[in-house]
């Protein structure tokens, strides 16, 4: 039987505003001698975000088109419910008021007041505490991972010398139950009612999330990044979060910037943007020089490209996931990367749909513990 060849995914739609992630991607060439209106994002709740152009600030870029992020942040730091990582940018030529292009900018802002809170907690803790990187892929069985993601499998197994848990099994049917167990150590029935349409139901803020434990007790910075905002692990049938759950939280950005081209975000594959944003997060906190080192916790979950499709479509993720791990693993020790990081590469369950439903209970779980922990 011929090997299945998945359909191509086209994301380069000129009608969709592009998305640039971090200072390295800032489009300097496009912005030379441009007037731009930059609008910040403001938190409303887990199902709405405010991008109000009455809050915009005007910026004029010189011939270099360079961005000074400190100036950008200073312009909005008094704004209520400001989401400092996300911006909408609309630009025009210097000689005309006509819009020439629009894009979204996604970055990692290290808020000074938040850093002060972290440093206050960190005074009483060791400086060598590990980072945690939890990278999840929806609907990947143990067998399917080896078949459709061979590059990632080879890198995490043979280069990183990670450990595979061959008998790792699901807690229940569905993403919510399995991720809840992973991130809290408990099952849904042990918490108060959070389901939509049920009496006295409330949000999931009060669950004992692992990142909250790390933030409040040990002074960690945290990131939660998940695609497919129309579903959402804790928003589709649960009531989501009332307050921003982590130091950096991607969902509000996606509620505005996600044009519903399947598997795409802006003009690129959605999972690539999530993975690169995680890399920017790691780089920012690894380079931080302050009173003490700031350890971090990152949870990135990739769902849209893999959830309801033929398992072979995951080949489009293989190179990007492998590169994400490679980029972090190969960083010089002066930029921490994965040198002091516990890595978990996992799936919530195997494929659950139609003729591809197989190995649903036995999914992947790779664990990598840094060599320095052995001494």
């Amino acid at each position: 039987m011929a090997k299945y060849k998945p359909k191509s995914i086209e994301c380069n739609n000129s009608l969709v505003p592009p998305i640039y992630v971090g200072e390295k991607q800032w489009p300097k060439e496009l912005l030379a001698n441009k007037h731009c209106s930059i609008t910040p994002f403001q938190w409303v709740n887990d199902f709405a975000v405010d991008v109000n152009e009455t809050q915009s600030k005007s910026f004029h870029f010189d011939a270099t088109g360079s961005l000074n992020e400190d100036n950008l942040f200073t312009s909005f730091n008094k704004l209520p419910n400001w989401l400092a990582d996300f911006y909408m940018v609309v630009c025009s030529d210097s000689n005309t008021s006509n819009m020439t292009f629009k894009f979204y900018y996604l970055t990692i802002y290290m808020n000074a007041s938040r850093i002060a809170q972290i440093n206050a907690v960190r005074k009483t803790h060791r400086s060598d505490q590990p980072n945690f990187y939890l990278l999840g892929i929806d609907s990947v069985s143990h067998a399917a991972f080896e078949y459709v993601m061979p590059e990632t499998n080879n890198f995490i197994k043979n280069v990183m010398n990670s450990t595979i848990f061959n008998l790792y099994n699901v807690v229940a049917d569905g993403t919510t139950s399995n991720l809840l167990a992973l991130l809290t150590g408990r099952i849904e029935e042990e918490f108060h009612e959070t389901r939509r349409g049920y009496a006295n139901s409330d949000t999931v803020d009060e669950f004992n999330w692992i990142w909250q434990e790390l933030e409040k007790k040990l002074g960690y910075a945290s990131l939660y990044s998940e695609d497919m905002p129309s579903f959402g692990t804790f928003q589709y049938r649960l009531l989501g979060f009332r307050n921003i759950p982590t130091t950096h939280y991607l969902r509000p950005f996606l509620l505005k910037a996600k044009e519903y081209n399947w598997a795409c975000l802006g003009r690129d594959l959605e999972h690539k943007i999530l993975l690169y944003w995680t890399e920017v997060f790691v780089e920012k906190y690894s380079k931080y020089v302050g009173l003490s080192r700031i350890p971090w916790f990152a949870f990135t979950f990739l769902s849209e490209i893999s959830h309801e499709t033929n398992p072979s479509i995951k080949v489009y993720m293989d190179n990007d996931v492998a590169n994400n791990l490679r980029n972090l693993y190969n960083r010089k020790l002066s930029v921490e990367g994965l040198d002091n990081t516990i890595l978990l590469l996992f799936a919530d369950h195997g494929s659950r749909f139609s003729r591809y439903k197989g190995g649903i209970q036995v999914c992947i779980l790779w664990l990598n513990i840094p060599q320095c922990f052995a001494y």
Side-chain angles (χ1 to χ4, degrees):
M1 184 174 66
K3 185 176 179 180
Y4 172 80
K5 184 178 181 180
K7 64 180 181 180
S8 61
I9 303 174
E10 299 295 335
C11 292
N12 192 20
N13 184 345
S14 61
L15 299 178
V16 176
I19 293 170
Y20 299 102
V21 185
E23 292 175 275
K24 291 180 181 178
Q25 288 191 2
W26 180 258
K28 293 186 289 186
E29 296 79 7
L30 288 176
L31 292 173
N33 299 314
K34 293 290 192 301
H35 286 297
C36 296
S37 173
I38 300 183
T39 307
F41 284 46
Q42 291 171 271
W43 171 264
V44 177
N45 55 47
D46 225 4
F47 303 92
V49 63
D50 188 9
V51 186
N52 189 337
E53 294 190 46
T54 63
Q55 303 288 356
S56 299
K57 301 289 184 181
S58 295
F59 289 78
H60 175 72
F61 294 94
D62 61 20
T64 68
S66 298
L67 171 71
N68 184 323
E69 278 199 342
D70 289 336
N71 290 342
L72 177 64
F73 301 142
T74 301
S75 300
F76 300 109
N77 62 7
K78 302 295 184 182
L79 195 65
N81 301 316
W82 172 43
L83 295 165
D85 294 337
F86 318 133
Y87 301 89
M88 181 178 72
V89 184
V90 178
C91 299
S92 61
D93 286 317
S94 298
N95 299 321
T96 177
S97 59
N98 295 328
M99 184 183 79
T100 55
F101 59 89
K102 169 184 173 181
F103 65 90
Y104 292 104
Y105 184 55
L106 175 60
T107 188
I108 293 291
Y109 172 54
M110 298 181 68
N111 183 285
S113 61
R114 176 69 187 122
I115 296 299
Q117 293 173 353
I118 290 173
N119 283 330
V121 176
R122 293 220 48 77
K123 287 180 180 179
T124 59
H125 295 287
R126 294 170 47 170
S127 62
D128 60 348
Q129 288 170 318
N131 309 308
F132 296 91
Y133 184 19
L134 278 60
L135 176 56
I137 305 173
D138 203 325
S139 306
V140 186
S141 69
H142 190 296
F145 179 74
E146 294 185 358
Y147 179 69
V148 299
M149 301 188 71
E151 184 179 355
T152 304
N153 184 66
N154 177 68
F155 186 80
I156 196 167
K157 177 181 179 180
N158 298 319
V159 178
M160 297 184 70
N161 296 315
S162 305
T163 300
I164 180 71
F165 286 70
N166 288 310
L167 298 180
Y168 175 60
N169 215 313
V170 299
V171 173
D173 183 33
T175 301
T176 303
S177 299
N178 291 306
L179 292 194
L180 192 59
L182 177 70
L183 296 171
T184 69
R186 299 166 68 182
I187 60 174
E188 188 176 341
E189 289 74 16
E190 295 181 75
F191 293 105
H192 63 263
E193 183 61 73
T194 58
R195 290 175 293 176
R196 293 172 177 271
Y198 283 75
N200 301 316
S201 190
D202 200 359
T203 61
V204 300
D205 294 69
E206 301 306 316
F207 289 7
N208 59 313
W209 302 105
I210 184 173
W211 59 74
Q212 290 182 352
E213 298 288 312
L214 293 171
E215 285 182 357
K216 294 177 181 178
K217 296 181 179 179
L218 298 174
Y220 275 64
S222 60
L223 174 143
Y224 182 171
S225 172
E226 178 182 357
D227 61 8
M228 211 173 180
S230 57
F231 287 82
T233 299
F234 306 110
Q235 294 82 17
Y236 183 61
R237 64 179 183 83
L238 307 186
L239 292 177
F241 294 94
R242 180 184 301 108
N243 302 306
I244 302 170
T246 51
T247 316
H248 304 275
Y249 183 49
L250 187 63
R251 181 174 171 82
F253 179 79
L254 298 181
L255 291 175
K256 174 65 178 178
K258 171 70 174 173
E259 303 277 351
Y260 278 91
N261 294 341
W262 178 77
C264 301
L265 183 59
R267 300 178 187 177
D268 209 341
L269 289 167
E270 188 169 14
H271 69 267
K272 290 180 68 173
I273 291 178
L274 269 67
L275 291 169
Y276 186 62
W277 192 53
T278 304
E279 290 183 36
V280 173
F281 167 78
V282 172
E283 183 173 9
K284 282 284 185 81
Y285 281 93
S286 296
K287 286 184 174 180
Y288 171 74
V289 178
L291 296 177
S292 67
R293 168 186 167 270
I294 297 178
W296 50 265
F297 170 92
F299 175 70
T300 298
F301 191 66
L302 310 176
S303 181
E304 183 159 2
I305 200 172
S306 62
H307 187 254
E308 299 181 25
T309 57
N310 185 307
S312 294
I313 203 73
K314 298 177 184 68
V315 299
Y316 286 112
M317 304 174 69
D318 187 24
N319 179 254
D320 300 319
V321 172
N323 281 339
N324 174 255
L325 298 179
R326 188 179 294 113
N327 291 343
L328 296 175
Y329 182 78
N330 290 341
R331 287 180 185 275
K332 295 179 180 179
L333 296 182
S334 59
V335 181
E336 193 174 70
L338 295 184
D339 185 56
N340 190 36
T341 300
I342 295 174
L343 167 70
L344 211 64
L345 177 64
F346 69 95
D348 53 344
H349 50 71
S351 182
R352 302 172 63 226
F353 294 93
S354 67
R355 64 191 178 95
Y356 308 117
K357 185 173 182 178
I360 182 173
Q361 291 184 313
V362 183
C363 43
I364 59 164
L365 177 64
W366 282 98
L367 173 66
N368 184 269
I369 298 178
Q371 190 174 10
C372 61
F373 279 31
Y375 301 98

